[in-house]
Amino acid sequence: MLRRSVVVAAVAVALALGLSACASAAAQPKESASIPAGITGVGVEMFQRPWTSIGTECGSTLGPAGFSWVLTSPPQEHITGTQWWTSYQPVSYTVDSKLGTEQQFADMVKACRAAGVKVIADAVINHMTAQGAGTGFAGTAFTKYAYPGLYGPKDFHHCTLTPDGSIQDYTSRAQVQTCELVGLADLDTASAHVRTTIAGYLTHLLGLGVAGFRIDAAKHMAAEDVAAIVAMLPKGTPVISEVIRGAEEPIQPEEYTRIGQVFEFAYARELGPQLTAGVLMDPARADHVPSASAVVFVDNHDTERGDAAVTYRDGPLDLMADALMLADDYGTPVVYSGYAFSDPDAGPPQDASGHVTGWECAGATGPKASYADGEGVCAEAWKSIAGMIEWRDAAGAAERRPGVSKGAAYGFERTGRAVIAANPGSSPATLAVPTTLPAGTYCDVIADGPSMDGCAGGATVRVSDGAATFDLDAGQTAAIHLGATG
Ligand code: ARE
Ligand code: CA
């Protein structure tokens, strides 16, 4: 008994330090020599979801579906207010927010780890509040530039490059990194005190069991500042920097890849418009970071309110985009799960105390034609996504072969392992995709979800004479792999 708990504790420590021996060895990139270790497997961003809800879903949904990691919204104390973006105005690093208490956060991490799901926390470390004065969600009184126990006025940049101190010109490196992002008090991340204080917060979260971090607004901190902070964490801690690629801008994601992974915004910008135009093509990836450095997504909490071509509002196209991303051989994919809204500022449902009440995903099996405001869009519970995670595992490291098209229908094979076909057009199409899969009857894991023994769900695709023949309705995606046959 004693021995077992010692082993469990040792494993827990190893996991907390990111030393897990079984951390997806198979998925390690070949070109890893100069690229830091990162997070692998399929992730899901669960935007504004309370800790108790994520903890429950790790056991009931994420683990069983094969998700490897979950990205949470920021866990630190923030300004009060009903908008979702209060999470991005830190008041203190106390882990007590509208999403839950520190105990609830720790319990979530434990439940997720027990289900084989790592937790990546969103780290808001470039700035504190824009709001001038007030009391934070956990009761901390503050004024802009003075946050008790953490920072005083000397710890901020106080930019004088623009009339109001806010960033106006993204082509100016100095403005982007030392002026205020939408008026948010900009930390002097070159200062030793600021770096140590931030590293202390992140170390605390690692102690609660998180595996790594999204670095919010990383573009707004010099890469050397981010590197110095990350260097204070255990070696190998995965970090994903948010550096939105902007065509004419001097600061590009490539500057941050020596620190860890980056979100590659160009990925969705290439894929999304193809779907809405109904013209799918093999990816060009002209301006992408190397695969091992890239975390890719169809949309996230900013782009679903901004320039994302495809979001939950697009129903089957949203699912198609997720499926094509999961079928790809580029990057680490993260599926997005949020809530429906008509007001872009609107927060998720909250109780009188401002705590997010969360939402039930039970019964969600696929995208809905329409959602009520505040209703959860539970992509993590869609059986097609679980089917595609199984498909991705079956595809493994197999090469992505050039695709074939007929009309709007497009498909490709991961050599000898798996085939996917999608029809973003407005009329039905039949597409034969060349494949080296053995002849036979395969189960469509998009229609029926994973592991349908003998294709019990009834949706099948025939492979014969070196081709998989897909009959696709308008908007339909179908996918087959070696491990699911009729
Ligand atoms: C809110 C209000 C503002 C108000 C401000 C202060 O919306 O009107 O001025 O509060 O009171 C989130 C929301 C913001 C919100 C903020 C603070 O999105 O609306 O402001 O929280 O509560 C740039 C950054 C990038 C950033 C995006 C939003 O480079 O890092 O802007 N994304 C992250 C998060 C956001 C979050 C923050 C950062 C701040 O994902 O959710 O803001 O913590 C070009 C450039 C991009 C630039 C983009 C938009 O594409 O290339 O770099 O992104 O324009 O300006
Ligand atoms: Ca900054």
Side-chain angles (χ1 to χ4, degrees):
M1 213 43 205
L2 177 68
R3 190 152 166 218
R4 187 174 176 274
S5 55
V6 168
V7 171
V8 169
V11 168
V13 169
L15 282 172
L17 295 174
L19 298 176
S20 170
C22 56
S24 310
Q28 287 305 311
K30 285 192 189 75
E31 66 267 53
S32 63
S34 58
I35 297 177
I39 198 87
T40 55
V42 179
V44 56
E45 173 180 3
M46 291 176 80
F47 176 61
Q48 294 285 293
R49 193 76 77 86
W51 313 143
T52 51
S53 174
I54 295 178
T56 304
E57 286 235 17
C58 270
S60 66
T61 314
L62 304 190
F67 284 97
S68 300
W69 53 283
V70 55
L71 168 61
T72 72
S73 282
Q76 88 296 320
E77 181 181 10
H78 49 78
I79 60 168
T80 57
T82 58
Q83 300 88 342
W84 63 267
W85 44 254
T86 58
S87 290
Y88 291 91
Q89 297 198 34
V91 167
S92 79
Y93 296 141
T94 303
V95 180
D96 189 358
S97 71
K98 60 181 159 181
L99 301 174
T101 62
E102 175 162 319
Q103 187 59 53
Q104 289 170 329
F105 186 86
D107 289 347
M108 165 193 72
V109 176
K110 220 179 190 173
C112 290
R113 279 166 47 162
V117 181
K118 294 176 180 173
V119 173
I120 301 290
D122 198 347
V124 185
I125 57 174
N126 169 66
H127 51 260
M128 299 297 280
T129 69
Q131 202 177 82
T135 302
F137 191 87
T140 305
F142 69 95
T143 58
K144 189 177 180 185
Y145 310 119
Y147 305 88
L150 292 179
Y151 306 119
K154 65 169 183 7
D155 297 317
F156 293 89
H157 275 130
H158 305 289
C159 153
T160 53
L161 300 171
T162 61
D164 67 354
S166 275
I167 301 165
Q168 284 174 359
D169 177 6
Y170 270 83
T171 68
S172 160
R173 177 180 290 270
Q175 278 194 34
V176 170
Q177 295 190 329
T178 64
C179 294
E180 298 186 343
L181 170 61
V182 295
L184 298 155
D186 199 63
L187 284 162
D188 176 9
T189 41
S191 114
H193 170 69
V194 169
R195 287 178 177 180
T196 317
T197 306
I198 291 170
Y201 164 51
L202 301 183
T203 302
H204 180 67
L205 293 178
L206 289 171
L208 297 178
V210 309
F213 304 100
R214 168 187 186 267
I215 307 290
D216 179 69
K219 184 198 281 183
H220 302 275
M221 295 176 278
E224 62 175 293
D225 296 355
V226 180
I229 293 163
V230 171
M232 293 181 207
L233 307 177
K235 204 170 161 42
T237 301
V239 296
I240 316 167
S241 294
E242 187 227 9
V243 184
I244 301 177
R245 198 182 277 288
E248 305 302 320
E249 298 183 25
I251 308 160
Q252 293 294 334
E254 282 75 7
E255 279 183 36
Y256 296 77
T257 52
R258 70 187 166 94
I259 306 164
Q261 289 159 308
V262 295
F263 289 98
E264 180 50 90
F265 281 71
Y267 186 83
R269 289 177 191 156
E270 179 171 6
L271 178 60
Q274 291 186 11
L275 288 161
T276 47
V279 186
L280 283 165
M281 285 176 287
D282 289 343
R285 287 178 198 142
D287 53 354
H288 292 30
V289 294
S291 178
S293 297
V295 174
V296 297
F297 52 91
V298 170
D299 60 342
N300 70 16
H301 67 275
D302 286 334
T303 67
E304 75 165 344
R305 291 169 173 75
D307 61 5
V310 175
T311 71
Y312 77 89
R313 294 176 284 264
D314 301 298
L317 283 191
D318 191 28
L319 175 60
M320 190 177 288
D322 276 338
L324 290 167
M325 172 178 75
L326 293 169
D328 210 342
D329 62 353
Y330 174 83
T332 294
V334 55
V335 172
Y336 178 70
S337 177
Y339 56 86
F341 60 90
S342 40
D343 170 6
D345 290 327
Q350 293 153 49
D351 64 18
S353 69
H355 284 100
V356 175
T357 48
W359 45 89
E360 291 294 325
C361 291
T365 55
K368 291 173 62 174
S370 68
Y371 293 85
D373 279 357
E375 188 178 353
V377 180
C378 300
E380 72 280 11
W382 299 349
K383 62 183 177 179
S384 322
I385 300 273
M388 280 309 299
I389 295 176
E390 183 183 84
W391 189 104
R392 185 178 176 85
D393 286 343
E399 184 198 351
R400 174 175 173 159
R401 291 176 70 193
V404 292
S405 304
K406 191 175 158 206
Y410 166 89
F412 65 86
E413 179 190 31
R414 297 286 298 275
T415 312
R417 311 288 305 176
V419 186
I420 186 168
N423 177 16
S426 50
S427 45
T430 297
L431 181 72
V433 183
T435 178
T436 53
L437 280 176
T441 302
Y442 291 81
C443 319
D444 175 8
V445 296
I446 297 270
D448 290 336
S451 300
M452 274 307 208
D453 250 354
C455 304
T460 58
V461 174
R462 283 290 303 165
V463 171
S464 61
D465 302 325
T469 303
F470 293 87
D471 288 312
L472 300 168
D473 287 335
Q476 191 185 346
T477 313
I480 60 173
H481 67 78
L482 200 53
T485 50

